[in-house]
Amino acid sequence: MAERQSAEKQAGLLTTELATLKTQLAACERELAGATTALSELAGKVETAEGRAEEERQTAAQARVETAAVREQADRLRELLRDESGRASAAALEAAVTATRLETAQAAASLTLPEPIDLSSDLGDGVSGVVLPDAAIQTVTREPDGTIVLHHHDTRIRLGDPQHAPARGRALAAALLALSSEHP
């Protein structure tokens, strides 16, 4: 009997110990459940934050692309505006200078300007000029490179040659004005 009492005592102790372990296990399971819930919530928050961060990265990338496109277009438009403005200014200035030069020369010399004609067949491709009848200089031409050349028989005299310049007279002045106002 003593054995039986000893065994019952041991069984009672084991039962108490088992109950304590079950209580501890239940507490651990509650902690584990709480930690799992907290971990799930944290994972959800991380996922949400990553989603927002990805959206912001995509929005920022799209904004960079759009900004670059707008800048590129603005640069092209500025360049076109500068080119057009420059061309318009140059054309207006050239037209004003030419008109003033012609009006002044015609008024001062009472000249009627002859029309330049194409002399390519006689003097080479791209050569235009004025034929001067009854003058020491038969023809005044503008070469393709813009140089004005005087023609006397078979002699070509580049404009500005000091030896021949003083003897040109009214016909030469009219021919030169006509050619200087012509656009090459």
Side-chain angles (χ1 to χ4, degrees), residues 8-9 13 24 33 37 44 51 58-59 74 81-82 86 93 113 120 122 129 133-134 143 150 169:
E8 284 178 3
K9 189 176 184 184
L13 287 173
Q24 288 176 350
T37 302
Q58 289 176 355
T59 300
L81 183 59
R82 277 193 299 269
L93 180 60
L113 299 183
S120 296
D122 296 327
D134 301 325
E143 300 294 318
L150 309 176

Side-chain angles (χ1 to χ4, degrees), residues 13 64 67-70 74 77 82 94 105 116 119 122 135 163-164 174:
L13 287 173
R64 283 191 295 274
T67 300
V70 167
L77 290 174
R82 277 193 299 269
E94 184 178 338
L119 297 171
D122 296 327
Q163 182 180 5
H164 301 94

Side-chain angles (χ1 to χ4, degrees), residues 13 30 36 39 51 68 74-75 77-78 95 101 112 118 122 126 180:
L13 287 173
R30 283 191 302 276
T36 302
L39 184 59
D75 289 345
L77 290 174
R78 274 190 220 102
R101 195 183 316 152
T112 301
D118 182 12
D122 296 327
S180 66

Side-chain angles (χ1 to χ4, degrees), residues 135-158:
I137 302 297
Q138 287 93 16
T139 310
V140 178
T141 63
R142 180 194 313 251
E143 300 294 318
D145 66 359
T147 304
I148 303 295
V149 178
L150 309 176
H151 297 267
H152 176 68
H153 297 292
D154 290 329
T155 304
R156 293 168 53 106
I157 305 165
R158 293 178 87 68

Side-chain angles (χ1 to χ4, degrees), residues 1-16:
M1 283 233 23
E3 269 185 46
R4 186 179 165 137
Q5 282 182 341
S6 174
E8 284 178 3
K9 189 176 184 184
Q10 251 185 350
L13 287 173
L14 286 175
T15 302
T16 304

